[in-house]
Amino acid sequence: MLKILTVIGARPQVIKAAALSRAIRTNFQNSIQEVIVDTGQHYDANLLKNFIDELGVSVPAYNLNVGSDSHAAQTAKIIIGLDTIIEKENPDAVVLFGDTNSTLSGALTASKLDCPVVHIEAGLRSFNRQMPEEINRIACDHLSTLLFAPTLGGLENLENEGFNIKAPIPYSLNNPGVFHCGDLMLDNSIYFAELAEKNSSILNDLELRPNEFVLSTVHRDNNTDNPERLNAIFRSLNQISKSKKITVVLPLHPRTKKAVDASLNTELYDDIKANGLMKIISPISFMDTIVLEKNAQMIITDSGGIQKEAFFFKKPCVVLRNESEWMELIHNGNNILAGADEQEIVAAYEVLINKTDFTYPGFYGDGKAAIFICQKLIEHLSE
Ligand code: UD1
């Protein structure tokens, strides 16, 4: 029996862990044992705990309760907590998702304990090292024994950084194995799409009609913590809702809520509050998010995951960033990079609303990434 220790800590990691846990439960129960550690990086129930319940992730065996702090303190606390757990559990590998501080801490701790690191969502790059996530993902990739790239672009990035994508077996930290596997988030979107329509009442609750609203999310630190960018984004959303007479639904991450309260221009904030078409709401569940994504006219976001979910549900997407890890969607014309420039955001909305020749190539695999990953874990990590 292969024993893996899976580390989660932030909302998107619960989503990815759900796909892996489900594959283990349904197909590999007799060959893989999973122990889950929640670092506690996200502690608000509607950012993490509710997602664990809703998505059917196995209950974490450990919670490090690290909470919010500086990057250094948060990372350090997770390292200290994980160190003891890895020693005690002695897993065959530590499985990490994505690019958060929980990912970085897991990679540092496991690799120093000579425990193989498995990085899921490897190879993604924004080529902007000012992003905390870029540092996390680069470090994690280079400390991993098995790397699973969701896209061909990810695979190419790893090759460009010196990884041998045809490395001979057996794999080790000095000779890592690299795989192109498709995207776990597609596994989930396929699995939950129908369930979500049955379980969510969000369209009724918010009095929304299909294709008659825009879904927007903002949480990247360089958008929330930079008042100029934050104000430009909110001005553009307000302007789109007024000029196009369309509802904009904006579930606010707690980080963004704090930033809005602290830095949004008072006049603009008052105008948004008086604008009945701007619906600013608390963070919502995964099912509600899927239902909003499926039914939106368009999506405007700085989230990595939502950029892709927009594509899964065939919705155009304005990306509130200057670069993306999912450039295939930009090059294919599904998504447009608009940064945090008011005019560019409005212009991108206009371009996408008038575009009729969208295509949806299979950039993210066939929805069976989790099964592929489990097979490779068994193949390459079992003694
Ligand atoms: C983190 C990840 C980011 C990911 C995002 C998903 C890092 C560096 N960033 O960003 O890649 O896209 O999660 O949501 O790991 N806060 C709360 N309640 C919480 C958690 C956070 O109020 O449960 C507030 C706190 O003010 C905190 C701030 O949000 O300081 C930032 O939280 P943090 O976990 O550091 O980063 P995120 O912005 O959530």
Side-chain angles (χ1 to χ4, degrees), residues 154-266:
L155 197 67
E156 198 182 315
N157 291 336
L158 292 171
E159 205 172 8
N160 290 340
E161 283 175 25
F163 284 90
N164 177 3
I165 61 168
K166 293 192 176 121
I169 296 166
Y171 300 129
S172 66
L173 186 49
N174 288 318
N175 177 48
V178 180
F179 304 93
H180 172 225
C181 66
D183 198 311
L184 286 180
M185 291 193 62
L186 177 60
D187 294 26
N188 268 341
S189 291
I190 293 171
Y191 182 80
F192 285 108
E194 265 181 50
L195 268 179
E197 297 273 14
K198 283 189 205 126
N199 291 340
S200 162
S201 60
I202 189 133
L203 292 181
N204 273 338
D205 298 346
L206 297 177
E207 298 174 349
L208 299 169
R209 281 206 296 266
N211 294 316
E212 292 185 9
F213 65 93
V214 169
L215 171 65
S216 181
T217 75
V218 184
H219 81 279
R220 290 267 150 232
D221 63 349
N222 74 328
N223 284 334
T224 58
D225 301 358
N226 177 331
E228 209 177 305
R229 290 179 71 96
L230 188 75
N231 275 281
I233 289 170
F234 276 76
R235 267 199 314 274
S236 69
L237 296 175
N238 199 30
Q239 191 188 322
I240 289 169
S241 83
K242 284 185 174 180
S243 64
K244 302 291 168 188
K245 300 200 172 26
I246 187 139
T247 301
V248 175
V249 182
L250 186 65
L252 269 204
H253 187 292
R255 155 179 231 137
T256 319
K257 169 91 180 70
K258 284 177 200 162
V260 163
D261 290 343
S263 330
L264 208 62
N265 171 286
T266 321

Side-chain angles (χ1 to χ4, degrees), residues 25-39:
R25 258 198 320 271
T26 49
N27 295 289
F28 300 95
Q29 220 171 11
N30 298 322
S31 40
I32 302 181
Q33 180 200 354
E34 185 183 34
V35 177
I36 297 185
V37 181
D38 173 2
T39 64

Side-chain angles (χ1 to χ4, degrees), residues 196-197 200-217 248-251 279 281-299 306 309-310 313 315:
E197 297 273 14
S200 162
S201 60
I202 189 133
L203 292 181
N204 273 338
D205 298 346
L206 297 177
E207 298 174 349
L208 299 169
R209 281 206 296 266
N211 294 316
E212 292 185 9
F213 65 93
V214 169
L215 171 65
S216 181
T217 75
V248 175
V249 182
L250 186 65
K279 291 190 191 259
I281 58 174
S282 300
I284 50 176
S285 70
F286 185 66
M287 304 274 188
D288 287 344
T289 306
I290 286 200
V291 169
L292 290 185
E293 289 168 349
K294 267 181 92 172
N295 288 285
Q297 174 210 57
M298 191 172 319
I299 295 178
I306 294 178
E309 285 169 345
F313 296 122
K315 301 295 174 176

Side-chain angles (χ1 to χ4, degrees), residues 2 7 31 42 51 66 80 124 130 135 138 154 191 215 243 246 250 261 327 332 337 357:
L2 182 77
V7 178
S31 40
H42 281 176
F51 275 63
V66 298
I80 293 168
L124 300 177
Q130 278 171 330
I135 294 172
I138 291 172
Y191 182 80
L215 171 65
S243 64
I246 187 139
L250 186 65
D261 290 343
M327 286 308 287
N332 199 49
L337 290 176
D357 56 347

Side-chain angles (χ1 to χ4, degrees), residues 10-12 41-44 47 68-69 71 74 99-102 132-133 136 219-220 253-255 258:
R11 181 167 56 177
Q41 176 173 346
H42 281 176
Y43 43 90
D44 281 2
L47 278 194
S68 299
D69 214 323
H71 284 265
Q74 191 177 55
D99 53 22
T100 71
N101 289 343
S102 298
E133 290 84 359
N136 294 346
H219 81 279
R220 290 267 150 232
H253 187 292
R255 155 179 231 137
K258 284 177 200 162

